[in-house]
Amino acid sequence: MPYVMGGFPDLEASASHVAALARHADLIELGIPFSDPLADGPTIQAAGQRALRGGATPEDVIAIAERLGDDGPPVVLMTYVNLVLAAGARAFMERAARAGVAGVILPDLPIDEGDDVREQARRAGVGIVPLAAPTTADARLAAIGRRADGFVYCVSAAAVTGGEVEVGDELMGFIERARARIDAPLAVGFGIRTTAQVAAVGRIADGVIVASQLIRLISDAPDPAAAEAAIERFAAEAVEALREGSHSAGEGPSAVQPVR
């Protein structure tokens, strides 16, 4: 699941990035920029600030998802609950549904809060994807599983985005605990930078989320064409790494599919 920040470096470029990544992705995570993104590290924060300075709005980003249409993979919006509440939960979720959005990730919405937001999402047919971390207690994992729509976003470490994942005993133990208590597929994100890490995470999870690394590739590119080529090349190589990893383990590649 590749991540695109809507409006970074501008709206048209981010729409092109979504279209390019859609040729390889099982899902697209599309970020709506927010001024106080508590889960995001410096790379995604900077991208969000640039998008906000460029005038990107939630409606602009949802329209990018709408442009992708039914021919592309499902789109899951990543944003913060303030924006949902500011628009009105019903209005936000119904607009997302009209655009064909499959789900919404709201890192600052605990599973035991926001009943109205969840109800409006359910009525609109939009899933709310919960998050879990290695520090999440077993009972909490079970509660998250009971409320999961489509999949659970498993944070690879107790940190913000943009670090570097370590596929070691801690992460593997966390995924084992989650699998024992959650029936929904598990997608792992935060700190996945290389295709080797994509393959390693893919061997223990149902989905692999790459975010900050794609933002870095865009930022480091000398021009828009080079940026699009760089992220599409990474996505193609990541898919190939997943296929090779799953085949060597005797399994076919898996895909996380959120509800529509």
Side-chain angles (χ1 to χ4, degrees):
M1 182 201 295
Y3 171 93
V4 173
M5 171 62 77
F8 172 77
D10 56 59
L11 285 167
E12 196 57 39
S14 59
S16 296
H17 296 159
V18 167
L21 291 168
R23 293 191 279 270
H24 307 279
D26 293 305
L27 294 93
I28 298 286
E29 183 184 353
L30 180 57
I32 298 178
F34 179 59
S35 59
D36 188 20
L38 59 86
D40 294 326
T43 300
I44 294 180
Q45 282 192 34
Q49 289 297 322
R50 179 165 173 177
L52 289 171
R53 289 196 300 270
T57 67
E59 171 57 30
D60 291 331
V61 179
I62 292 173
I64 292 174
E66 194 166 36
R67 285 169 59 177
L68 188 60
D70 294 334
D71 294 334
V75 173
V76 176
L77 298 176
M78 160 69 171
T79 192
Y80 293 85
V81 73
N82 305 56
L83 294 182
V84 176
L85 297 177
R90 178 177 177 179
F92 184 95
M93 295 303 174
E94 288 181 351
R95 175 65 186 106
R98 289 196 303 274
V101 167
V104 181
I105 301 168
L106 299 170
D108 55 347
L109 182 66
I111 56 165
D112 40 13
E113 297 182 18
D115 286 344
D116 181 58
V117 173
R118 297 179 193 282
E119 176 61 17
Q120 296 303 330
R122 185 193 64 78
R123 290 182 179 181
V126 175
I128 293 187
V129 177
L131 284 80
T135 53
T136 304
D138 291 348
R140 187 76 168 178
L141 285 173
I144 288 169
R146 288 191 293 271
R147 303 207 74 165
D149 288 330
F151 68 97
V152 174
Y153 192 134
C154 294
V155 176
S156 66
V160 294
T161 62
E164 186 151 7
V165 69
E166 180 179 346
V167 186
D169 291 342
E170 182 179 13
L171 180 56
M172 289 189 287
F174 166 42
I175 297 303
E176 288 176 3
R177 289 195 302 115
R179 284 208 188 280
R181 294 161 181 85
I182 297 172
D183 292 331
L186 307 177
V188 173
F190 284 37
I192 301 172
R193 297 185 176 207
T194 69
T195 56
Q197 290 170 339
V198 169
V201 172
R203 284 191 284 270
I204 64 171
D206 303 302
V208 184
I209 301 164
V210 180
S212 295
Q213 180 60 21
L214 295 175
I215 300 296
R216 290 187 197 97
L217 291 172
I218 294 167
S219 298
D220 293 345
D223 55 62
E228 185 171 324
I231 62 172
E232 185 167 8
R233 181 168 56 251
F234 184 96
E237 292 173 355
V239 170
E240 184 59 29
L242 283 170
R243 286 176 178 154
E244 291 177 357
S246 62
H247 291 167
S248 66
E251 301 173 355
S254 61
V256 177
Q257 294 295 331
V259 295
R260 276 195 182 274

